[in-house]
Amino acid sequence: MPNSPAAPGLWHRLLGVLRCPLCGGPLAPPHGVPASFATLRQVKSLGCAEGHSFDVARQGYLSLLTGNTNAANADSADMVTARTLFLKAGHYAPLARALAGTVADLCPPDGTVMDAGAGTGYYLATVLDALPEAVGLGLDASKFALRKASGAHPRAGAATWDIWKPLPVVSGAADVVINVFAPRNGPEFQRVLRPDGALVVVTPTARHLAELPASLGMLSVDAAKEDRLHRTLSGHFRQERTEVVERQVAMTDQDVRNLILMGPSAHHLSLEDVHRSVASLDTPLPVTVSFLVSVYRPH
C-alpha cells in the first residue's frame, strides 16, 4: 500500500520511540507543527533540545545518519529495484504471512514493532496488516530502500541507521523487534525491547535455493550460520521456538535475475555475468525457498 495516507498521529507515537543519536534526548518537530502530525512530509526536520537537527527526505524518511547516508554495504538503487520486483512476484509471501502471524501472537494490538534492517518495508507492512492498531519503525542503512519503506504502510515510519551502531531508540520502547536477513545487534536489541518483548529473526536454511546452480555466482548459505546466530544472541536472549517455512516455487528467468541482483551477490557480479548465467537455465525452474522464523526472549 505505497500510496496510503499516514495514520493520524503516527509520528506523534513514534517520537516516543526515537531518541537523538548524538545526545540521546527526545526528538520533536519544529515549533508550530501540531504534536499529532501524521507524516514526515509535513516537516523538513526533527531536532532535540541540544540543537541537533536531522533532515527529512522529500520521500518521507528521517535521515539520522550523519555524513554519507548510504554505507558501502547498503543496498544500491539497482538492488532495491530488483528486490521490489522479486517480492512483487510473491515468492516470499508465505514467509511474510508466517512472520506476521508470529508477531501478531507476541505483540499487543496497539504495540510498537521495530524492523532492524527493514529494506523496502515489505515484511514490516505485512506484520502491521496483522496488527490493526500497532505502529512500526523501520531502520536501514540504504536511503534507496527507505524511499520505498517510508510509504510501505500508513502506520510505518522509516529512518536511516546502521544497525551495528547504538540504536536511536528509547530503551524498552519496542514490543517486538523483527530482523529479516539483516545484521543482528544483540545488546541493542535487548536494550530497546520491553522486558516481556520478543525478538523474531528470519534466516535461510541450508535448503534455501538449493536447486539454483553454483554457476550463477550466488553466495551459498553457510551451514554453521544458525549456530553462529545462537552464539551471537545467547548472552542477551534465550530461544523460545523456531518454525520452518518452506515452499517450492516456480521461478522465471526474470525472477532468478532479480533474485541475484537484489542480494549480496550483486556487489561482486556484473550485469552481463548475471544475464549470461541465467540465460543457460531451463525456466520456469522449480526452486525451494526455505526459512527459519525464530523467536527469542530477552534475559
Side-chain angles (χ1 to χ4, degrees):
M1 48 184 76
N3 298 314
S4 301
L10 166 67
W11 274 95
H12 177 59
R13 292 177 65 181
L14 288 181
L15 287 181
V17 175
L18 283 167
R19 67 179 188 179
C20 174
L22 299 178
C23 69
L27 295 175
H31 292 299
V33 177
S36 60
F37 77 105
T39 171
L40 282 184
R41 290 182 176 88
Q42 295 174 246
V43 300
K44 293 184 178 180
S45 65
L46 296 179
C48 70
E50 295 297 318
H52 304 128
S53 182
F54 304 93
D55 292 337
V56 174
R58 60 184 177 83
Q59 295 89 355
Y61 65 86
L62 180 61
S63 296
L64 290 178
L65 283 173
T66 56
N68 181 11
T69 59
N70 205 57
N73 61 346
D75 290 351
S76 67
D78 289 341
M79 290 171 70
V80 169
T81 297
R83 178 171 290 113
T84 301
L85 292 171
F86 181 83
L87 292 174
K88 188 176 180 180
H91 298 311
Y92 285 7
L95 169 62
R97 290 192 295 268
L99 176 64
T102 297
V103 176
D105 289 339
L106 298 167
C107 187
D110 60 348
T112 298
V113 179
M114 189 188 86
D115 189 346
T120 62
Y122 173 78
Y123 297 102
L124 181 58
T126 307
V127 166
L128 292 177
D129 278 343
L131 291 162
E133 298 175 51
V135 295
L137 173 66
L139 300 176
D140 200 280
S142 170
K143 61 187 179 184
F144 303 110
L146 291 180
R147 290 172 184 175
K148 297 285 187 181
S150 62
H153 196 279
R155 286 180 281 110
T160 55
W161 197 249
D162 182 347
I163 300 303
W164 291 117
K165 296 181 178 180
L167 300 174
V169 175
V170 174
S171 296
D175 294 285
V176 176
V177 172
I178 63 174
N179 179 259
V180 184
F181 317 130
R184 291 169 288 276
N185 188 336
E188 280 295 284
F189 291 173
Q190 181 190 44
R191 181 186 64 78
V192 303
L193 275 170
R194 304 188 196 284
D196 60 347
L199 168 65
V200 184
V201 179
V202 176
T203 52
T205 76
R207 296 182 298 281
H208 185 56
L209 308 178
E211 294 85 355
L212 294 180
S215 60
L216 294 179
M218 295 185 66
L219 301 179
S220 60
V221 177
D222 185 349
K225 185 171 185 175
E226 196 64 18
D227 289 337
R228 283 203 312 275
L229 169 61
H230 295 322
R231 288 197 302 272
T232 299
L233 297 176
S234 62
H236 307 278
F237 292 89
R238 58 178 173 81
Q239 188 178 41
E240 186 172 85
R241 64 182 187 270
T242 295
E243 173 190 3
V244 178
V245 179
E246 186 169 300
R247 300 286 191 282
Q248 191 171 77
V249 299
M251 291 193 187
T252 66
D253 55 349
Q254 188 60 59
D255 291 333
V256 177
R257 272 193 292 271
N258 288 330
L259 178 65
I260 298 169
L261 294 172
M262 78 181 198
S265 302
H267 289 297
H268 60 85
L269 291 175
S270 70
L271 192 59
E272 292 76 15
D273 287 341
V274 173
H275 284 297
R276 185 165 51 250
S277 297
V278 173
S280 66
L281 297 177
D282 183 14
T283 58
L285 180 69
V287 178
T288 300
V289 293
S290 181
F291 316 94
L292 294 176
V293 180
S294 303
V295 177
Y296 293 84
R297 296 286 189 175
H299 287 316

